[in-house]
């Protein structure tokens, strides 16, 4: 694992870094190697490339909270980019967080013994909230507060 993480550290900011990271992510043995996958995904954020927004948004919804948290961290690196890019990142994080919250609520309402969805939610709440604070320059704690704020102010041009 350390060798992979070292490689990510060496390439993430190089001109060919994004292509190498995407190539690595396509490798079968990395698909389920969550720690390495998370590190690679977080590395993509350093490029602050608008072309990565959709990919990173998709990674927010993967079933592994380590990877989802890394995607949120990568998106938070867009914090100094123009508002339209930040708005897309905020929208993606809020939508994914709402999805995690909905799954946890369903699990609770079914009185399931398992806590898989609730555990996932607990593991993404912190990273998602921190990313949103950096991107939106707001300070809310709960997903519904973020969703309400975004519904009311997301289209404005001064946040």
């Amino acid at each position: 694992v350390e060798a992979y993480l070292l490689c990510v550290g060496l390439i993430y900011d190089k001109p060919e870094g994004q292509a190498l990271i995407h190539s690595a992510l396509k490798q079968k043995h990395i698909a389920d190697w969550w720690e390495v996958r998370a590190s690679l995904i977080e590395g993509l954020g350093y490029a602050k490339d608008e072309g990565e927004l959709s990919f990173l948004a998709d990674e927010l919804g993967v079933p592994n909270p380590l990877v989802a948290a890394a995607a949120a961290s990568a998106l938070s690196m867009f914090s100094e980019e123009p508002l339209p890019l930040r708005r897309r990142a905020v929208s993606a994080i809020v939508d994914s967080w709402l999805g995690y919250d909905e799954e946890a609520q369903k699990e609770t309402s079914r009185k399931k013994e398992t806590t898989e969805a609730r555990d996932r939610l607990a593991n993404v709440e912190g990273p998602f909230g921190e990313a949103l604070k950096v991107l939106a320059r707001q300070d809310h704690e709960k997903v519904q507060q973020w969703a309400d704020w975004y519904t009311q102010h997301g289209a404005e041009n001064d946040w």
Side-chain angles (χ1 to χ4, degrees):
V1 171
E2 286 83 21
Y4 277 96
L5 299 179
L6 176 62
C7 290
V8 172
L10 293 173
I11 65 168
Y12 75 89
D13 63 344
K14 305 293 185 270
E16 63 278 4
Q18 287 175 268
L20 290 170
I21 289 172
H22 278 289
S23 178
L25 287 169
K26 291 177 184 172
Q27 301 302 311
K28 193 170 190 139
H29 70 283
I30 291 181
D32 294 325
W33 200 355
W34 300 118
E35 184 179 354
V36 172
R37 184 172 180 80
S39 183
L40 289 166
I41 288 166
E42 189 168 356
L44 289 172
Y46 289 96
K48 299 175 191 155
D49 180 356
E50 180 179 357
E52 298 292 351
L53 281 173
S54 293
F55 175 79
L56 293 170
D58 289 344
E59 293 296 307
L60 290 168
V62 300
N64 183 279
L66 186 62
V67 172
S73 178
L75 287 168
S76 75
M77 293 178 204
F78 286 80
S79 65
E80 298 302 320
E81 298 305 305
L83 183 58
L85 296 181
R86 293 184 7 241
R87 184 178 288 121
R88 287 176 52 199
V90 166
S91 177
I93 294 169
V94 169
D95 289 347
S96 292
W97 194 355
L98 284 169
Y100 278 100
D101 188 61
E102 182 179 329
E103 288 300 312
Q105 287 179 21
K106 284 180 186 175
E107 186 178 81
T108 300
S109 69
R110 290 187 222 133
K111 296 182 176 38
K112 291 183 90 174
E113 296 283 329
T114 63
T115 61
E116 189 175 314
R118 287 176 278 178
D119 289 346
R120 272 197 308 268
L121 175 63
N123 285 306
V124 299
E125 283 181 314
F128 280 24
E130 290 305 311
L132 288 170
K133 287 175 184 179
V134 170
L135 288 162
R137 300 173 181 134
Q138 299 294 314
D139 190 16
H140 303 289
E141 295 300 321
K142 301 289 184 191
V143 65
Q144 196 55 56
Q145 293 171 324
W146 279 108
D148 291 345
W149 172 83
Y150 189 73
T151 298
Q152 293 172 5
H153 303 287
E156 294 176 1
N157 290 320
D158 61 350
W159 50 274

